[in-house]
């Protein structure tokens, strides 16, 4: 993405900075007269992983849905060049994807190429090679001929991630992408996304329940509570025990382990055993 020129405050010099891959300005979403996203402002830089954290019902998923046009919003959502995001610009991995009956895994992943096709155009050999490459990278080649309706929850989640990656959009939105995966597959999926953003400039905006994973992979975090951003910054600045405990409504601790931050519930206070009768 080409840089944009920003005028100096003194007017005598010019500073060049990269345009953000995606920005939200005063984004608001309401359901039945209740505002669930309340004036959110954010910038996602090119090649950055921006994590969105917060309790259930905070507005994380609704914000992501508004970015891809699945929720009506007020305010402004734009790419770095000022355009409203289109299907070829932003890919979403939803929490609860629809898995159509009668469709194989290979066919489902190939649907990720639809955003790049013209009207009535069919997938090319290059499109099929891209889908096949993604299946291979996610170690899903053995599932290619299986119907998506027969997959377990964890297998289906991996296939949905594969479809989004096959879309090859510059911005990837993840809505709890590893919620149905076992620990090993959680790590492999997140590391694959992280590798793509580092090698190919993919920009990632991810709503994440796992605060330790958010700290591990995100460059910056946004903490949302009741639709509002209450903290923003690098993981070490946002993941403060007192703040997290207040927002999540339960005592939490943050421990540095091997150079990474791990968020845990406070240890349970065990009742003292009754004293023995004399």
């Amino acid at each position: 993405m080409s840089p944009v020129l920003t005028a100096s405050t003194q007017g005598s010099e010019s500073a060049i900075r990269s345009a953000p891959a995606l920005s939200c300005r005063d984004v608001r979403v309401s359901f039945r007269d209740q505002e669930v996203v309340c004036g959110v402002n954010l910038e996602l830089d090119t090649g950055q992983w921006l994590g969105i954290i917060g309790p259930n019902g905070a507005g994380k998923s609704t914000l992501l849905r508004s970015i891809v046009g699945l929720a009506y919003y007020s305010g402004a959502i734009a790419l770095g060049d000022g355009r409203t995001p289109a299907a070829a610009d932003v890919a979403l991995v939803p929490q609860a994807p629809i898995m159509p009956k009668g469709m194989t895994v290979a066919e489902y992943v190939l649907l990720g190429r639809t955003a790049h096709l013209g009207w009535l155009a069919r997938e090319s050999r290059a499109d099929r090679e891209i889908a096949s490459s993604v299946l291979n990278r996610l170690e899903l080649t053995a599932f290619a001929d299986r119907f998506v309706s027969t997959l377990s929850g964890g297998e289906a989640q991996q296939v949905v991630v594969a479809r989004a990656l096959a879309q090859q959009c510059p911005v990837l939105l993840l809505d709890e992408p590893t919620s149905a995966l076992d620990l090993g597959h959680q790590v492999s999926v997140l590391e694959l996304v992280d590798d793509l953003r580092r090698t190919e400039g993919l920009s990632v905006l991810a709503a994440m329940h796992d605060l330790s994973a958010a700290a591990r992979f995100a460059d910056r975090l946004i903490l949302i509570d009741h639709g509002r951003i209450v903290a923003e910054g690098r993981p070490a600045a946002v993941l403060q025990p007192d703040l997290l405990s207040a927002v999540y409504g339960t005592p939490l601790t943050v421990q540095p382990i091997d150079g990474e931050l791990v968020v845990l519930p406070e240890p349970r206070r065990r009742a003292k055993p009754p004293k023995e009768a004399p």
Side-chain angles (χ1 to χ4, degrees):
M1 183 177 293
S2 59
V4 295
L5 195 64
T6 303
S8 166
T9 55
Q10 299 298 323
S12 58
E13 297 179 357
S14 294
I16 296 178
R17 66 177 181 84
S18 296
L22 179 76
S23 64
C24 296
R25 293 287 177 267
D26 194 29
V27 172
R28 299 175 181 272
V29 181
S30 297
F31 294 141
R32 297 179 180 177
D33 298 327
Q34 180 179 357
E35 197 170 54
V36 294
V37 176
C38 312
V40 166
N41 296 289
L42 64 82
E43 284 193 355
L44 172 65
D45 293 335
T46 301
Q48 183 182 62
W49 187 313
L50 177 58
I52 306 175
I53 60 175
N56 290 336
K60 304 184 300 296
S61 297
T62 302
L63 176 61
L64 295 184
R65 286 172 58 81
S66 68
I67 291 173
V68 295
L70 296 178
Y72 179 80
Y73 66 90
S74 64
I77 297 175
L79 302 171
D81 58 8
R83 291 183 299 113
T84 300
D89 303 309
V90 180
L92 171 67
V93 177
Q95 276 194 52
I98 298 174
M99 308 303 284
K101 295 181 179 180
M103 181 174 286
T104 67
V105 168
E107 292 168 337
Y108 183 81
V109 174
L110 190 57
L111 285 177
R113 304 302 304 158
T114 303
H116 301 278
L117 302 179
W119 181 248
L120 297 180
R122 296 178 63 85
E123 296 87 357
S124 67
R125 178 178 177 180
D127 291 319
R128 291 189 291 273
E129 288 177 349
I130 289 170
S132 177
S133 175
V134 171
L135 286 171
N136 184 56
R137 293 192 69 172
L138 285 175
E139 299 182 350
L140 293 172
T141 303
F143 292 84
D145 294 328
R146 281 184 58 181
F147 290 112
V148 293
S149 57
T150 68
L151 302 175
S152 69
E155 292 166 348
Q157 192 73 15
Q158 293 178 74
V159 170
V160 173
V161 171
R163 172 180 166 171
L165 295 179
Q167 199 169 329
Q168 289 192 325
C169 294
V171 177
L172 178 63
L173 308 183
L174 304 175
D175 191 2
E176 308 298 344
T178 60
S179 58
L181 302 182
D182 60 56
L183 186 60
H185 285 107
Q186 286 181 27
V187 173
S188 64
V189 167
L190 293 177
E191 286 187 341
L192 172 59
V193 173
D194 194 46
D195 179 61
L196 289 173
R197 79 177 180 97
R198 294 179 186 280
T199 59
E200 301 180 20
L202 184 69
S203 305
V204 180
L205 182 61
M208 307 176 74
H209 273 314
D210 187 333
L211 301 184
S212 299
R216 180 180 185 184
F217 289 98
D219 301 304
R220 290 171 50 240
L221 293 177
I222 287 176
L223 175 60
I224 292 183
D225 187 26
H226 293 95
R228 302 181 185 277
I229 295 178
V230 296
E232 180 177 2
R234 298 191 65 81
V238 175
L239 298 178
Q240 296 295 318
D242 290 345
L243 175 61
L244 295 179
S245 298
V247 170
Y248 283 88
T250 189
L252 298 172
T253 65
V254 181
Q255 303 292 334
I257 299 178
D258 293 334
E260 296 186 351
L261 296 178
V262 177
V263 181
L264 299 167
E266 280 192 357
R268 294 178 61 187
R269 296 181 180 179
R270 300 185 180 277
K272 294 181 179 179
K275 295 181 178 179
E276 295 183 3

